[in-house]
């Protein structure tokens, strides 16, 4: 029986608490009176995932027919799916998408469908490598589809293969991948890692263009998404839902959503998922061995150790059918695993940032991504109110090296070196620089032909933290490289104690502190 | 000149003619007792033989590649593993390629009239590969009960439904033993396709040859087949045979084409063309060379 | 001179530079004046000489022993003056002048080792004239420019560096180029930025600066974008919105001013300039190893920019320099002053100016007892 998440009141007997710090960890003693929010333990996975998938496809929810009756010989079928930005860390084989797609294709084969195309709906993210695709879909699917050009990756800059389906009543463009729009049936397979994912967001970010994204991936939209992990209160989702409904009226969509539990770390790192006072002697030995050896190892090697790790997360639910009906069930399952009730906000919010976020799988967590992970994702993992009060301080822990992956994030380097040197105000940045980066032909070339994020994606990283930047009084990064931290307008501190002292200048003496014991992921339901 | 070995007491004594001889207890063939080979000590020894002797040797000779083992994710023992049969390499290959949780608690149904002809041969088979004796054609009560009892106790079963190695390189019709046991004990059948073992050590040859670079053998695991509601042994058996054929199709072309042919019922049969011997050999060669790219002749 | 080569500025402790009490130089002839320096700047070329890293090219046009210092504002019988240090045909009394001096291009005078003076490129490398780092020296009337009363000494001492910058900015034959890059933000770079703003009037002026104070000043003096040196290629690429060709920028900037003169900066300059356009070498480079394939392939014009004389408009560079110093308030670049007896510290400071948040370091002779 997995225990739910809870809030710990730190007292003098509380052991030091684990803080992630990129590819490393620290144990920090929090002052008495601090609170630590712990995630729920992983819920039990489905005993028979393949059976559950088949069930879901045969008994869909919402206004939808069972999948086999939607398939017939001679039809044009497209199966779109999330890219490897989810789940985090990448799950051990077989991935949810492999399971679902194999069963879907089995049904398609039984119906005699020949014209099938698989599309990786990665939006403006980078293309996946062959190894990543093989890991996600398995060798059987890869070897059957990729050599024949039937496994493709969405290209948001291929204007010959984008169709403007229409504009919503708010004037938002719905511009979608041509193959997807012109199919008799569009099936979307997702992995709903966090509450932000899924629903109409799947198609409207994954298969769209810059023109379509601009309507919600902008500073005002993000500032009014409080938070984007809580769709009913998210401006991002309002816009996306309008667009999605327009698309659904033009194309037949069969949505298949899956959720996973939070069994995040493999056995050699299991201490990361356990409450500190429940660490066995083996866990303590593991922690010491791992953290000491990581200190001695060069960053590149530490990165490859961590990125080679595959997570034992398993499927906890699968639902299929009409997009909105499916997504409602999905969110129930996500909340079942993630929601932790918390009373009241704090003056100071602390968080340890791990080595990976959605945008650096098999890559480097550069300073811009540190900001996005901390002030974008972690800060917004709330319903109701943020964990920190307005004007409070956020303290994050990460080495924040001035290091960028030149192939994956070329526009990020320029954004960090040139744009942030001029200003850190999101609105100014959007006004002065976004168009330039979004239309720069070199970035477009790299996005289409290399493995690079789109030129404008760096801006989205900064916008993702726009709500936090507005809300919070100061941001301090413990253990961060001072140059890089200052470039973002934040303050560096060498220890948590120093950071708390610096915070006192902003929030006053003896501040209330809440620490997010994340990962594994949770959403704070703050009242 | 003595025909029956050394003289008593070194050799066996002769019986006086007047004393009635007790009935002969047959202790070879199907009657060979293999229980001793499943105690802890024997299992330990077998684990060492399988992992530390058979495995490296097989890797050297056959350079095997395993495919589709992700289909076994979530499957707990016991299960019945069946495969096509072309060579003596098959059993050891299968045994050493099973995932750990199955490998060390497995028995192999081996032909009673080959592996258990003498007590010595029986002992070696039982110890080294965990063999249990089974009839080739009509399975008797004793072997069936033994196999079912072992399955119920959590032992995995490895069987070759064709009943023996292929004589000419093409497959033979599957017999129903595995399906029967699956139904009787409520456990799944895991089909496997073995490719290339017949090339290395075909029936009739004394020794295997070592695989050249790039010519290693392949094992393809299929998804476990659970007995369906109301399915009888014959239907399950047919399903197993079709699946192995589909796995072969999957390996030689690709998974998606194989699925479509399976759905349409056009999966090429493993038993080969209904034709005379030379045409079957001819077709076999054409099949192999079309895949490997080497011309058979001139 | 070995020690000087290892650590910047170390030559002052080990090399042949010393503070001495010597006789005042004689007046070489009519038209010469005795002047008393008020402020004298320390230039990068002085540091190179002291460190022993100077090119052997200069040997024939230098005469030992000499007093260094060619950025001079001094008192004379004509009032306060700024010295134009080049010892061309006129101070040397050579008649007729060489073709360059006749055309007013005194910086290109070729008679630097001839005439009535010892060999010497300029005051500050000639045994006969003395130099700025002293209390007394001599200069020809053609070399003296009157300093307006409302101009401070600090401003006046910047006139000579400003004149180099003005000349450099006028070297390229370009009319309002859309993108111009200045590599390096020491004194040369900063003055060049100011000069480019006024004389070249580019669309966008991009500069590279290693240190934060340099960055601030570069922006104040007229740069639009300032980046760190290792980000210059990316910055130019982004401004020109062109692809990268390997590590070089595809389209690039119309004019690149290299105010550093190192192997890295020349390499950067050649790789960020637009094909068929110009790289102006303002910083003195010395013997460097550079892959010239890129110059050949992109048909680049590599142009040296040395010093002043008369510009293409017919105006004397020094006159334009006075205007520049006033308009851009270049006196703020004088970061520190030292008396002569603290010359070792002064040279140390000048050699590490950027890292220590300084730009121009000068000797202050106004309080000297023996003036």
């Amino acid at each position: 029986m997995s225990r739910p998440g809870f809030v710990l009141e730190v007292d003098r007997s509380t052991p030091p608490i684990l803080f992630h710090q990129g590819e490393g960890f620290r144990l920090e003693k929090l002052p008495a009176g601090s609170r630590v929010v712990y995630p729920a333990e992983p819920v039990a996975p489905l005993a028979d995932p393949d059976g559950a998938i088949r069930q879901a496809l045969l008994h869909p929810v919402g206004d939808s027919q069972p999948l086999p009756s939607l398939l017939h010989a001679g039809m044009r079928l497209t199966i779109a799916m999330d890219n490897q930005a989810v789940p985090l860390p990448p799950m051990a084989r077989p991935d949810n998408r492999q399971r679902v797609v194999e069963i879907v294709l089995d049904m398609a084969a039984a119906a005699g469908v020949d014209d099938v195309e698989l599309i990786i709906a990665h939006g403006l993210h980078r293309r996946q490598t062959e190894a990543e695709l093989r890991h996600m879909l398995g060798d059987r699917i890869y070897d059957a589809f990729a050599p024949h050009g039937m496994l493709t990756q969405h290209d948001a800059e291929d204007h010959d293969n984008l169709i403007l389906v229409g504009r919503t009543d708010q004037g938002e463009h719905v511009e979608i991948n041509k193959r997807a729009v012109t199919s008799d049936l569009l099936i979307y397979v997702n992995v709903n890692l966090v509450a932000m994912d899924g629903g109409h967001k799947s198609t409207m970010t994954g298969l769209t263009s810059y023109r379509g994204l601009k309507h919600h991936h902008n500073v005002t939209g993000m500032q009014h998404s409080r938070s984007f992990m809580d769709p009913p209160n998210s401006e991002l989702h309002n816009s996306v839902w309008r667009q999605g409904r327009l698309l659904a009226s033009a194309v037949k969509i069969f949505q298949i959503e899956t959720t996973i539990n939070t069994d995040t770390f493999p056995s050699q790192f299991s201490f990361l998922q356990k409450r500190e006072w429940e660490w066995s002697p083996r866990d303590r030995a593991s922690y010491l061995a791992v953290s000491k050896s990581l200190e001695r190892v060069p960053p590149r090697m530490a990165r490859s150790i961590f990125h080679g790790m595959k997570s034992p997360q398993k499927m906890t639910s699968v639902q299929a059918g009409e997009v909105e009906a499916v997504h409602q069930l999905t969110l129930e399952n996500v909340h079942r695993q993630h929601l932790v009730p918390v009373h009241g906000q704090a003056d100071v919010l602390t968080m340890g940032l791990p080595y990976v976020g959605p945008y650096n799988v098999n890559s480097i967590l550069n300073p811009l991504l540190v900001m996005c992970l901390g002030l974008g994702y972690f800060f917004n993992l709330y319903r109701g109110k943020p964990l920190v009060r307005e004007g409070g301080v956020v303290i994050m822990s990460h080495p924040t090296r001035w290091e960028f992956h030149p192939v994956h994030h070329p526009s990020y380097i320029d954004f960090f070196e040139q744009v942030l040197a001029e200003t850190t105000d999101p609105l100014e940045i959007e006004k002065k620089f976004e168009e330039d980066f979004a239309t720069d032909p070199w970035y477009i070339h790299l996005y289409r032909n290399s493995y690079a994020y789109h030129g404008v994606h760096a801006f989205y990283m900064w916008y993702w933290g726009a709500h936090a930047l507005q809300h919070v009084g100061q941001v301090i990064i413990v253990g961060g490289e001072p140059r890089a931290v200052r470039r973002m307008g934040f303050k560096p501190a060498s220890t948590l104690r120093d950071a708390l002292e610096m915070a006192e200048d902003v929030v006053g003496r003896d501040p209330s502190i809440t620490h997010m014991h994340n990962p594994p992921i949770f959403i704070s339901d703050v009242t | 000149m003595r025909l029956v070995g050394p003289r008593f007491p070194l050799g066996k004594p002769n019986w006086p003619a007047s004393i009635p001889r007790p009935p002969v207890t047959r202790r070879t063939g199907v009657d060979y007792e293999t229980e001793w080979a499943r105690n802890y000590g024997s299992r330990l020894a077998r684990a060492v033989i399988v992992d530390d002797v058979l495995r490296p040797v097989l890797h050297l000779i056959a350079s095997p590649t395993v495919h589709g083992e992700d289909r076994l994710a979530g499957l707990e023992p016991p299960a019945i593993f069946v495969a096509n049969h072309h060579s003596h390499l098959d059993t050891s290959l299968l045994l050493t390629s099973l995932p750990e949780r199955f490998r060390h608690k497995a028995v192999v149904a081996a032909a009673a009239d080959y592996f258990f002809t003498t007590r010595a041969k029986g002992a070696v088979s039982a110890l080294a590969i965990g063999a249990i004796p089974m009839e080739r054609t009509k399975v008797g009560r004793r072997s069936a009960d033994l196999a079912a009892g072992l399955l119920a106790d959590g032992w995995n079963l490895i069987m070759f439904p064709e009943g023996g190695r292929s004589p000419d390189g093409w497959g033979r019709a599957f017999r129903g033993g595995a399906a029967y046991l699956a139904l009787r004990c409520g456990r799944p059948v895991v089909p496997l396709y073995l490719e290339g073992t017949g090339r290395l050590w075909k029936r009739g040859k004394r020794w295997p040859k070592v695989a050249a670079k790039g010519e290693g053998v392949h094992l393809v695991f299929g998804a476990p087949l659970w007995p369906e509601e109301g399915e009888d042994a014959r239907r399950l058996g047919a399903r197993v045979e079709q699946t192995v054929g589909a796995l072969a199709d999957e390996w030689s072309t690709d998974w998606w084409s194989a699925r479509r042919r399976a759905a349409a019922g056009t999966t090429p049969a493993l038993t080969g063309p209904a034709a005379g011997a030379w045409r079957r050999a001819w077709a076999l060669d054409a099949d192999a060379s079309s895949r490997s790219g080497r011309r058979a002749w001139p | 001179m070995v020690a000087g080569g290892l650590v910047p500025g170390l030559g002052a402790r080990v090399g042949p530079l010393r503070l001495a009490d010597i006789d005042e130089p004689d007046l070489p002839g009519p038209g010469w004046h005795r002047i008393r320096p008020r402020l004298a700047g320390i230039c990068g070329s002085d540091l190179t000489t002291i460190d022993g890293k100077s090119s052997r090219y200069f040997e024939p046009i230098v005469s030992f022993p000499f007093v260094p210092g060619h950025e001079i504002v001094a008192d004379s019988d004509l009032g306060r003056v700024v010295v134009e240090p080049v010892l061309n045909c006129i101070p040397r009394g050579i008649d007729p002048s060489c073709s360059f001096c006749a055309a007013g291009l005194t910086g290109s005078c070729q008679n630097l080792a001839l005439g009535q003076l010892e060999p010497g490129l300029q005051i500050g490398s000639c045994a006969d004239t003395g130099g700025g780092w002293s209390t007394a020296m001599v200069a020809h009337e053609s070399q003296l420019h009157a300093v307006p009363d409302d101009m401070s000494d600090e401003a006046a001492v910047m006139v000579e560096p400003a004149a180099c910058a003005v000349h450099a900015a006028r070297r390229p034959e370009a009319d309002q180029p859309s993108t111009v890059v200045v590599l390096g933000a020491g004194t040369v770079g900063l003055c060049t930025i100011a000069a480019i703003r006024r004389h070249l009037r580019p669309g966008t002026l991009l500069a590279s600066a290693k240190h934060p104070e340099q960055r601030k000043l570069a922006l104040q003096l007229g740069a639009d974008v300032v980046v760190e040196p290792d980000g210059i290629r990316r910055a130019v690429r982004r401004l020109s919105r062109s692809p990268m060709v390997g590590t070089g920028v595809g389209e690039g900037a119309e004019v690149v001013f290299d105010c550093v003169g190192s192997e890295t900066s020349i390499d950067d300059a050649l790789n960020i300039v637009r094909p068929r356009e110009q790289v102006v070498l303002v910083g003195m480079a010395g013997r460097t190893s550079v892959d010239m394939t890129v110059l050949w392939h992109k048909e680049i014009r590599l142009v040296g920019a040395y010093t002043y004389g008369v510009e293409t408009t017919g105006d004397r560079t020094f006159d334009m320099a006075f205007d520049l110093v006033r308009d851009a308030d270049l006196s703020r670049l004088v970061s520190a002053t030292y008396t002569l007896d603290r010359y070792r510290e002064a040279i140390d400071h000048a050699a590490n100016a950027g890292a220590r948040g300084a730009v121009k370091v000068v000797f202050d002779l106004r309080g000297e007892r023996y003036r």
Side-chain angles (χ1 to χ4, degrees):
Chain A
M1 191 55 218
S2 64
R3 294 175 292 178
F6 76 111
V7 179
L8 169 78
E9 285 267 345
V10 173
D11 56 31
R12 293 227 125 79
S13 332
T14 308
I17 304 293
L18 183 104
F19 273 56
H20 282 261
Q21 187 156 24
E23 294 92 8
F25 325 105
R26 290 164 105 116
L27 281 173
E28 301 276 9
K29 202 122 172 63
L30 286 169
S34 316
R35 298 187 307 169
V36 182
V37 186
Y38 280 88
E41 289 184 333
V43 304
L46 291 171
D48 178 14
D50 289 335
I53 294 169
R54 266 184 273 267
Q55 269 291 93
L57 298 180
L58 294 172
H59 304 282
V61 295
D63 178 17
S64 176
Q65 293 163 279
L67 184 58
S69 64
L70 295 171
L71 300 168
H72 55 86
M75 77 181 287
R76 187 171 227 216
L77 174 65
T78 299
I79 306 177
M81 66 194 81
D82 284 347
N83 66 339
Q84 244 200 344
V86 287
L88 296 170
M91 63 194 281
R93 297 204 205 199
D95 185 282
N96 287 3
R97 283 158 289 202
Q98 177 179 342
R99 285 189 194 271
V100 172
V101 173
E102 279 193 358
I103 293 174
V104 167
L105 285 173
D106 240 352
M107 292 185 177
V113 181
D114 280 315
D115 184 4
V116 184
E117 195 169 303
L118 307 183
I119 304 183
I120 307 295
H122 65 220
L124 298 190
H125 292 196
R126 68 167 172 89
R127 301 186 319 125
Q128 309 283 187
T129 62
E130 176 181 330
E132 289 169 342
L133 289 173
R134 280 182 186 277
H135 183 85
M136 189 166 89
L137 287 170
D139 293 313
R140 287 187 288 280
I141 295 179
Y142 187 87
D143 287 326
F145 284 81
H148 305 291
M150 284 152 63
L151 170 59
T152 62
Q153 309 203 48
H154 175 66
D155 185 345
E157 290 289 342
D158 183 3
H159 295 283
D160 292 334
N161 282 306
L162 287 168
I163 290 193
L164 182 63
V165 176
R167 299 178 69 163
T168 67
D169 53 17
Q170 305 275 353
E172 294 142 328
H173 294 80
V174 178
E175 191 171 32
I176 300 290
N177 180 296
K178 181 166 161 189
R179 165 86 199 192
V181 166
T182 56
S183 297
D184 295 309
L185 181 65
L186 172 64
I187 297 180
Y188 197 99
V189 182
N190 94 342
V191 178
N192 228 94
L193 178 68
V194 286
M196 179 185 78
D197 303 329
H200 290 294
K201 186 174 176 291
S202 303
T203 43
M204 295 320 306
T205 51
L207 294 171
T208 189
S209 64
Y210 172 57
R211 192 154 64 141
L213 281 173
K214 255 189 352 171
H215 297 289
H216 38 77
H217 278 52
N218 57 51
V219 178
T220 328
M222 296 318 298
Q223 284 174 337
H224 288 104
S225 295
R226 299 176 184 163
S227 75
F228 56 70
M229 290 293 176
D230 184 20
N233 289 310
S234 163
E235 196 47 48
L236 165 72
H237 288 83
N238 290 343
S239 174
V240 163
W241 247 242
R242 282 191 290 273
Q243 293 176 318
R245 283 176 179 157
L246 181 62
L247 179 67
S249 66
V251 182
K252 195 187 212 110
I253 304 178
F254 189 85
Q255 184 101 342
I256 308 173
E257 296 192 346
T258 67
T259 57
I260 48 175
N261 64 8
T262 50
D263 195 3
T264 315
F265 297 103
S267 52
Q268 59 265 44
F269 291 104
S270 62
F271 58 87
L272 292 173
Q273 277 173 207
K274 286 163 89 170
R275 295 145 190 201
E276 286 79 356
W277 55 95
E278 290 174 0
W279 283 11
S280 66
R282 189 138 176 254
D283 291 321
R284 302 199 298 271
S286 280
Y287 170 81
L288 284 167
V290 168
S291 60
K292 291 294 171 256
S293 52
L294 283 172
E295 277 169 31
R296 281 166 182 58
V297 139
R300 210 194 163 123
M301 194 182 295
R303 265 203 298 277
S304 64
I305 293 171
F306 274 88
H307 284 281
M309 179 165 69
K310 299 291 177 253
S311 161
Q313 289 167 110
K314 296 238 181 332
M315 199 188 293
T316 54
S317 83
V318 50
Q319 33 278 338
E322 190 271 316
V323 178
E324 296 186 25
V326 164
H327 195 56
Q328 193 159 352
L329 283 177
T330 304
L331 281 181
E332 283 171 24
N333 280 289
V334 170
H335 289 152
R336 183 164 65 95
Q337 172 72 86
H338 285 181
L339 274 183
V340 179
V342 179
H343 292 292
Q345 300 177 301
D347 297 313
V348 174
L349 175 63
T350 62
M351 49 176 82
L353 298 181
Y355 68 99
V356 73
Y359 313 112
N360 77 311
V361 175
N362 298 323
S363 187
I364 298 177
L365 196 75
N366 59 54
L368 198 49
L369 291 176
V370 170
M371 181 272 196
C372 177
L373 189 60
L375 296 182
Y377 285 94
F378 280 38
F379 176 86
N380 281 293
L381 279 168
Y382 75 85
R383 268 195 350 178
K385 299 183 278 200
L387 277 172
V388 62
R389 67 164 171 82
E390 192 153 359
V393 173
V394 169
I395 300 179
M396 319 196 283
S397 142
H398 192 277
T400 320
R401 291 187 197 94
W402 189 306
E403 227 187 342
F404 293 80
H405 196 293
V407 176
H408 295 159
H409 301 115
S411 68
Y412 285 46
I413 307 177
D414 292 342
F415 181 90
F416 200 77
E417 279 186 355
Q418 299 164 33
V419 174
L420 285 183
E422 278 209 35
T423 172
T424 56
D425 178 343
L427 283 165
E428 258 215 66
I429 289 175
E430 182 180 44
K431 198 168 66 168
K432 210 166 160 197
F433 295 101
E434 187 189 305
E435 179 87 25
D436 208 18
F437 274 67
T439 53
D440 187 307
W442 181 238
Y443 297 140
I444 292 177
H445 168 81
L446 293 176
Y447 162 76
R448 297 189 70 183
N449 299 292
S450 176
Y451 295 96
Y453 281 81
H454 193 277
V456 79
H457 202 263
F459 288 74
Y460 297 162
M461 300 297 90
W462 199 250
Y463 301 167
W464 239 234
H467 169 36
L469 285 176
Q470 239 187 353
H471 181 90
V472 144
Q474 186 178 87
V475 178
I476 303 174
I477 302 188
V478 176
E481 194 179 303
R483 255 175 83 224
V485 173
R486 289 204 187 94
R487 175 56 61 94
M488 294 194 280
F490 309 150
K491 287 198 156 32
S494 2
T495 64
L496 182 61
R497 175 144 299 153
D498 289 344
L500 288 170
E501 271 197 44
M502 288 160 66
E504 284 183 0
D505 290 340
V506 176
V507 292
R509 297 207 54 197
D510 253 340
S512 52
I513 303 171
T514 298
H515 174 65
M516 292 175 72
H517 204 281
N518 176 352
I521 301 176
F522 62 87
I523 303 178
S524 306
D525 211 354
V526 185
T527 44
Chain B
M1 172 177 141
R2 292 186 66 87
L3 284 151
V4 288
R7 208 209 298 261
F8 179 80
L10 208 58
K12 287 202 313 199
N14 288 324
W15 278 79
S18 57
I19 308 291
R21 307 260 303 238
V24 176
T25 43
R26 298 191 312 139
R27 293 185 308 151
T28 57
V30 196
D31 300 298
Y32 183 85
E33 270 293 346
T34 52
E35 191 59 43
W36 62 272
R38 285 185 288 282
N39 67 29
Y40 183 71
S42 307
R43 284 172 63 191
L44 194 60
R46 182 156 57 254
V48 170
I49 294 172
V50 166
D51 281 350
D52 302 328
V53 177
L54 285 181
R55 217 183 153 133
V57 166
L58 273 164
H59 274 258
L60 203 62
I61 296 178
S63 307
T65 319
V66 180
H67 306 269
E69 66 269 38
D70 60 284
R71 284 169 162 148
L72 301 184
L75 177 67
E76 288 305 312
I80 304 170
F81 293 87
V82 302
N84 55 325
H85 201 17
H86 286 264
S87 158
H88 275 320
L89 286 175
D90 295 344
T91 312
S92 336
L93 196 60
L94 242 179
L95 202 50
T96 53
S97 308
L98 288 179
E100 272 226 42
R101 59 189 188 283
F102 303 101
R103 193 189 313 156
H104 295 133
K105 200 172 178 192
V107 291
V108 182
D113 62 357
Y114 186 93
F115 286 94
F116 290 92
T117 44
T118 66
R119 291 190 59 73
K121 225 173 163 188
V124 170
S125 308
L127 181 65
I129 57 171
I132 55 169
M134 191 157 287
E135 293 90 336
R136 283 188 200 271
T137 46
K138 191 126 181 31
V139 178
R141 180 89 184 266
R142 193 195 158 95
S143 352
D145 285 347
L146 175 61
L150 287 173
L151 254 183
D153 274 343
W155 284 85
N156 297 285
L157 212 54
I158 298 177
M159 301 179 73
F160 295 102
E162 290 169 272
R165 290 166 296 155
S166 155
D168 64 355
W170 289 103
R172 300 198 289 177
F174 276 29
R175 295 171 198 287
Y180 161 78
L181 285 168
L183 275 165
R184 178 168 162 177
C185 305
R187 297 307 304 165
V189 177
V190 179
L192 278 104
Y193 173 67
L194 302 174
E195 191 281 335
T197 54
R199 265 185 294 119
L200 293 180
W201 197 0
K202 65 156 71 102
R203 184 176 171 148
K205 290 273 194 248
R206 210 180 145 103
W207 298 110
K209 53 181 175 152
V210 176
K213 196 162 156 61
E215 304 247 309
V217 303
H218 297 268
L219 285 95
V220 188
F221 278 92
L225 299 170
W226 290 85
E228 274 164 20
E229 190 91 19
E231 199 177 30
D232 64 4
R234 216 162 54 82
R235 296 257 289 281
L236 178 57
R239 201 150 60 95
V240 171
E241 187 168 3
Q242 278 157 23
T243 310
V244 176
L247 289 174
D249 192 12
E250 175 185 315
W251 185 85
S252 67
T253 57
D254 66 70
W255 176 81
W256 174 235
S257 317
R259 289 316 301 148
R260 284 182 291 160
R261 277 194 285 268
T266 56
T267 309
L270 281 179
T271 47
W278 80 265
R279 277 171 59 196
R280 282 167 69 83
W282 197 247
L284 192 65
D285 240 352
D287 201 41
S289 63
S290 75
R291 266 184 278 122
S292 70
R294 274 181 302 110
R295 284 160 52 84
W297 83 272
Chain C
M1 271 304 190
V2 173
L6 291 173
V7 178
L10 204 51
R13 292 177 205 281
V14 192
L17 183 70
R18 59 191 177 87
L19 183 60
D21 201 344
I22 55 174
D23 294 330
E24 288 189 20
D26 299 321
L27 291 169
W32 283 82
H33 297 254
R34 198 174 298 286
I35 64 175
R36 307 205 176 279
R38 293 172 64 82
L39 291 181
I42 303 176
C43 172
S45 57
D46 298 320
L47 294 172
T48 319
T49 312
I50 294 168
D51 275 349
K53 289 196 280 199
S54 228
S55 168
R56 302 203 63 176
Y57 173 82
F58 287 120
E59 274 179 27
I61 44 177
V62 159
S63 50
F64 290 86
F66 63 84
V67 177
H70 58 268
E71 300 170 356
I72 308 160
V73 54
D75 286 321
S76 75
D77 48 355
L78 304 170
R80 256 187 337 154
V81 288
V82 156
V83 178
E84 192 174 332
V86 177
L87 295 167
N88 54 52
C89 292
I90 299 164
R92 288 181 177 281
I94 296 175
D95 194 16
S97 314
C98 66
S99 61
F100 297 102
C101 292
L105 304 171
T106 49
S108 307
C109 176
Q110 293 306 302
N111 289 332
L112 303 168
L114 308 174
Q116 66 185 348
L117 297 173
E118 288 285 330
L121 168 62
Q122 57 190 9
I123 286 176
S125 49
C126 176
D128 281 343
T129 57
W133 300 359
S134 67
T135 51
M137 51 173 280
V138 297
H140 190 263
E141 62 197 358
S142 63
Q143 295 178 291
L144 300 178
H145 296 260
V147 177
D149 291 330
D150 61 349
M151 190 178 256
S152 63
D153 286 333
E154 284 75 13
V157 81
M158 290 306 298
V159 169
E160 195 271 347
C164 293
V166 167
H167 179 73
R170 300 191 68 92
R171 275 298 272 143
E173 292 116 39
D175 181 29
Q176 295 191 293
S178 66
T179 319
V180 170
V181 179
V182 173
L183 299 178
T187 313
V188 178
L190 290 171
C191 290
T192 309
I193 288 172
I196 290 169
R197 254 302 150 217
R198 273 152 199 78
H199 293 276
L200 209 50
R201 288 166 313 170
T204 313
L205 177 51
L206 176 62
S208 78
K210 239 198 223 173
H211 305 281
E213 288 74 14
Q214 293 177 332
R215 204 174 160 266
K216 270 200 267 291
L217 285 165
L219 287 167
Q220 284 171 14
L221 287 170
D224 295 306
V225 181
V226 183
V227 294
E228 297 196 17
D230 54 13
I232 191 68
R233 296 193 193 202
R234 281 190 288 273
V236 176
R237 184 221 71 77
R238 202 176 71 75
L239 267 170
S240 60
R241 293 170 69 83
S242 59
M244 293 290 273
V245 183
T247 55
V249 178
E251 304 239 340
E254 267 107 335
V255 191
V256 177
F257 289 86
D258 183 352
C259 298
V260 177
S262 67
E263 287 186 9
T264 326
S265 67
I266 296 178
D267 198 45
D268 279 341
L270 292 175
N271 275 288
I272 59 177
V273 74
R274 206 181 154 77
R276 303 164 137 250
E277 297 291 350
Q278 310 171 64
V279 170
V280 180
L281 198 52
V282 188
M284 185 172 73
R287 191 166 280 274
T288 51
S289 175
V290 177
D291 189 347
M292 296 301 254
T293 318
V294 57
L295 179 131
W296 166 80
H297 183 243
K298 281 167 57 167
E299 302 192 329
I300 296 168
R301 274 176 289 155
L302 183 60
V303 166
Y306 164 48
T307 193
Y308 26 76
V310 162
E311 298 300 323
T312 46
T313 52
D315 300 303
R316 282 187 85 179
T317 324
F318 259 68
D319 295 332
M320 293 195 224
F322 273 97
D323 290 333
L324 182 65
V325 167
R326 188 178 286 113
D327 293 340
D329 188 21
L330 292 181
S331 64
R332 60 181 144 168
L333 298 184
V334 178
S335 314
T337 63
Y338 286 86
T339 50
L340 275 182
D341 56 346
R342 292 171 64 205
Y343 73 96
R344 291 192 193 86
E345 292 166 49
I347 288 169
D348 213 288
H349 199 164
N352 294 296
R356 288 168 65 169
V359 183
K360 172 63 69 181
V361 177
V362 306
F363 283 113
D364 187 345
L365 293 317
R366 293 172 295 197
E368 289 292 330
R369 201 151 36 105
Y370 294 104
R371 259 181 117 240

